[in-house]
Amino acid sequence: MTAAGRSAGGASERGRRSGLSIGAVLAQLRTEFPDVTISKIRFLESEGLVRPARTASGYRQFTPADVERLRFVLSAQRDHYLPLKVIKDQLDAADGAGTSPSGPPALKPPRRLVSLTPGAEGPTAEDFAPGREIRLTKEDLLEQSGVDAALLAELEQFGLIRPGAAGFYDADAVQVAKTVRAMTEYGIEPRHLRAFRASADREVGLLEQIVAPVSRHRDEAAKARADEMVRELAALSVTLHTLLVKAGIRSVTSG
């Protein structure tokens, strides 16, 4: 092939590669999803959640719509703990209707760490949005959750809330405290909820046994697969727990 032919062929190939590369997509998504990797994007593609076009040379071409689709998937996993099958069903339904998928907003603020120090302004409601990482002192936790020190001491005694190694609490601790406070209005005490802690620990132990063999591999693809397995199994566990509780309640109320 002549130099002119090679030049024309290269220009033609560049024209066919007018979409975003997987690296460019990764750069866009990482501002909102710091943990996302190229392996994760490839995995979602292999599962049919995104279908980028390919050039004759096999290069992926992502469109802006593909990027928004990935945002939807990642948000649904992070913020709503939805299994991939449920997310795919939503996407397929939206595709069939010719609409954009409904559910998590396409764009959320990036994760950030909020560290509170004495005299600093307390966290705002925005700091408790899904995807945020916060570090709260005991005083911050009491103020944000509305529980008193005695109730918090019971929550820690029975393992329902566990501060981190540095003695700080996270946003989940606030939600646990609020939930238990609501349950106490029905006469339930923290000591009655030890079974919830024990059940959660057993579930975590089971998931760890399943994921551990995969996570031992050091390559990036194996790590992405292990992370995906944890998300999927956690989502399925939450779904199963909810269904079992609902079924049990139905038997109680209908008896």
Side-chain angles (χ1 to χ4, degrees), residues 8-224:
S12 177
E13 177 67 10
R14 286 192 296 272
R16 289 193 296 270
R17 293 174 55 189
S18 57
L20 294 171
S21 68
I22 194 169
V25 171
L26 179 67
Q28 287 192 25
L29 293 175
R30 270 199 167 159
T31 59
E32 185 181 355
F33 306 97
D35 297 331
V36 71
T37 62
I38 286 180
S39 295
K40 168 78 170 182
I41 297 173
R42 287 173 177 162
F43 173 78
L44 295 177
E45 179 188 357
S46 70
E47 294 295 310
L49 288 123
V50 64
R51 296 178 289 273
R54 296 269 188 157
T55 67
S57 301
Y59 291 99
R60 293 174 176 84
Q61 290 182 301
F62 291 87
T63 66
D66 290 328
V67 177
E68 289 308 302
R69 192 178 180 94
L70 287 168
R71 279 199 176 97
F72 177 86
V73 174
L74 295 171
S75 294
Q77 285 189 308
R78 182 193 65 191
D79 303 340
H80 299 272
Y81 300 97
L82 294 180
L84 284 182
K85 183 181 185 305
V86 174
I87 300 172
K88 190 174 187 303
D89 288 344
Q90 291 186 21
L91 290 170
D92 290 344
D95 290 342
T99 61
S100 298
S102 59
L107 198 59
K108 290 181 181 294
R111 298 169 66 91
R112 68 185 178 91
L113 182 66
V114 180
S115 180
L116 301 179
T117 55
E121 183 180 354
T124 65
E126 184 184 2
D127 292 325
F128 289 91
R132 297 301 184 94
E133 292 183 19
I134 66 173
R135 297 172 66 185
L136 300 171
T137 65
K138 179 175 291 188
E139 291 72 22
D140 298 321
L141 174 58
L142 295 175
E143 179 182 354
Q144 293 295 326
S145 65
V147 305
D148 57 29
L151 180 55
L152 177 58
E154 287 189 77
L155 294 175
E156 293 185 348
Q157 177 185 352
F158 297 112
L160 296 167
I161 287 180
R162 296 169 176 169
F168 291 102
Y169 303 86
D170 59 19
D172 288 339
V174 175
Q175 297 306 317
V176 169
K178 286 183 175 181
T179 300
V180 175
R181 185 187 66 182
M183 296 177 79
T184 60
E185 297 177 3
Y186 295 89
I188 298 175
E189 300 177 14
R191 61 187 176 88
H192 299 142
L193 303 175
R194 285 179 291 185
F196 285 82
R197 176 76 270 170
S199 175
D201 288 341
R202 285 195 297 270
E203 289 182 27
V204 171
L206 175 61
L207 301 190
E208 186 176 13
Q209 290 179 38
I210 296 171
V211 175
V214 180
S215 62
R216 290 194 187 102
H217 298 280
R218 296 185 178 182
D219 61 285
E220 186 179 349
K223 183 179 183 303

